[in-house]
Amino acid sequence: MKIDVLTLFPELFEAFSAESILGRAQNAGYVTINPVDFRSYSTDKHNSVDEPPFGGGAGMVIGPQPLIDAVADVRTEEASIILLSPQGRKFSQEVAQELAEKEHLILICGHYEGIDERVSMLLGADEVSIGDYVLTGGEPAALVVIDAVTRLIPGVLGNRESASADSFSTGLLEHPHYTRPREFMGNSVPDVLLSGNHKEIELWRHKESLRRTFKRRPDLLNSYSFSEQDRSLIRQIVAEEFDRLEQD
Ligand code: SAM
């Protein structure tokens, strides 16, 4: 996959994308992350990209010319154009999976008050928001999208790091994890994880995954399809949690 990122701050992407899984994915040829400084496309004699808003008001607005020219330069037939915006559709693991199947992404990062409305319209951009809050610029949002998408490209994560059991991939939050030492500040690792009984361990993990989701994100259960075993586990969880409440 190729990811072009149109930004006023290309240097923000260099350090981030050279490290860890993104760095490895780039070195192995799974993904190329290419920050493009769209200021360099400005035809203004001062290389300016922003102007005051028509109609008055605070702040500056990024004008259409540099972005439209920059996209024309990097666009391919397969390109999907994503405009990072707090007003876009909500980014999620499902959207990350959808984007991970594309060959070419062009991510556009806004700044100031945002981007002239005609850019999104002319490019047929898919506007994507990483959450209901306003960032100063689209760069942190683009980094979130790049990271979440890259780890889903087949081959990027080895078997040991597989994303298939990650939170949201299964429709549930993932089970808790433990590592050495067995005992830490009076708290021990659940016995079943030390038992060597893989079937029991899998069952425990699935039950704890259901418990976490039930307690922390019950909204996710609305679209989860329960097996008979899940139903019986949920009944056990409810009884256990009720007992725990009574003991407290
Ligand atoms: N005035 C705009 C509004 O109220 O909708 C917000 C502009 S924001 C200060 C500047 C840029 O940051 C946006 O153009 C967008 O690229 C990016 N941005 C801010 N919040 C974001 C979010 N939640 N998700 C994605 N991008 C965001």
Side-chain angles (χ1 to χ4, degrees):
M1 175 189 285
K2 183 171 187 213
I3 308 180
D4 288 302
V5 194
L6 276 48
T7 169
L8 294 174
F9 303 97
E11 61 287 356
L12 287 178
F13 292 85
E14 275 143 27
F16 187 83
S17 62
E19 299 296 334
S20 186
I21 284 169
L22 280 186
R24 266 175 23 214
Q26 288 207 87
N27 291 337
Y30 289 109
V31 67
T32 305
I33 298 161
N34 179 38
V36 177
D37 182 356
F38 65 83
R39 188 183 294 284
S40 67
Y41 288 85
S42 171
T43 52
D44 177 84
K45 65 175 185 262
H46 302 297
N47 268 3
S48 172
V49 293
D50 54 311
E51 297 280 353
F54 279 128
M60 301 292 272
V61 176
I62 295 178
Q65 176 274 317
L67 281 171
I68 295 292
D69 286 356
V71 169
D73 201 26
V74 298
R75 195 171 195 166
T76 57
E77 282 209 347
E78 306 76 44
S80 296
I81 301 177
I82 316 289
L83 194 149
L84 282 318
S85 163
Q87 302 179 15
R89 65 175 171 139
K90 197 78 81 66
F91 191 60
S92 63
Q93 191 73 2
E94 207 179 338
V95 177
Q97 184 61 57
E98 174 197 319
L99 298 182
E101 285 155 29
K102 310 277 185 194
E103 281 180 39
H104 185 193
L105 300 180
I106 300 176
L107 304 184
I108 301 177
C109 304
H111 215 76
Y112 316 117
E113 279 308 309
I115 297 175
D116 186 291
E117 194 60 27
R118 291 163 293 184
V119 171
S120 179
M121 191 259 291
L122 288 168
L123 296 174
D126 178 9
E127 296 194 22
V128 170
S129 165
I130 62 161
D132 288 349
Y133 40 80
V134 175
L135 302 164
T136 305
E139 288 74 16
L143 289 170
V144 166
V145 170
I146 291 170
D147 190 287
V149 167
T150 301
R151 64 202 305 284
L152 293 177
I153 298 172
V156 165
L157 295 183
N159 272 345
R160 293 186 59 187
E161 307 161 312
S162 165
S164 60
D166 275 349
S167 296
F168 312 110
S169 298
T170 56
L172 300 173
L173 301 181
E174 201 185 25
H175 57 78
H177 296 277
Y178 294 87
T179 185
R180 279 189 289 205
R182 287 181 175 204
E183 188 84 25
F184 189 73
M185 296 178 85
N187 295 283
S188 31
V189 170
D191 287 340
V192 62
L193 297 179
L194 310 171
S195 69
N197 184 333
H198 295 294
K199 227 171 141 192
E200 286 294 311
I201 292 171
E202 272 323 299
L203 182 63
W204 180 86
R205 287 182 166 160
H206 185 59
K207 183 173 173 184
E208 294 313 306
S209 181
L210 280 165
R211 188 193 307 275
R212 286 231 140 159
T213 314
F214 177 68
K215 288 175 76 176
R216 298 184 181 189
R217 291 292 306 273
D219 57 299
L220 295 176
L221 297 176
N222 291 335
S223 43
Y224 181 73
S225 53
F226 290 92
S227 65
E228 270 312 306
Q229 186 194 44
D230 290 330
R231 286 178 206 287
S232 133
L233 289 172
I234 284 280
R235 278 194 285 274
Q236 288 174 27
I237 291 166
V238 171
E240 286 163 10
E241 293 300 319
F242 192 70
D243 285 351
R244 205 170 289 173
L245 274 177
E246 281 201 321
Q247 280 162 22
D248 286 349

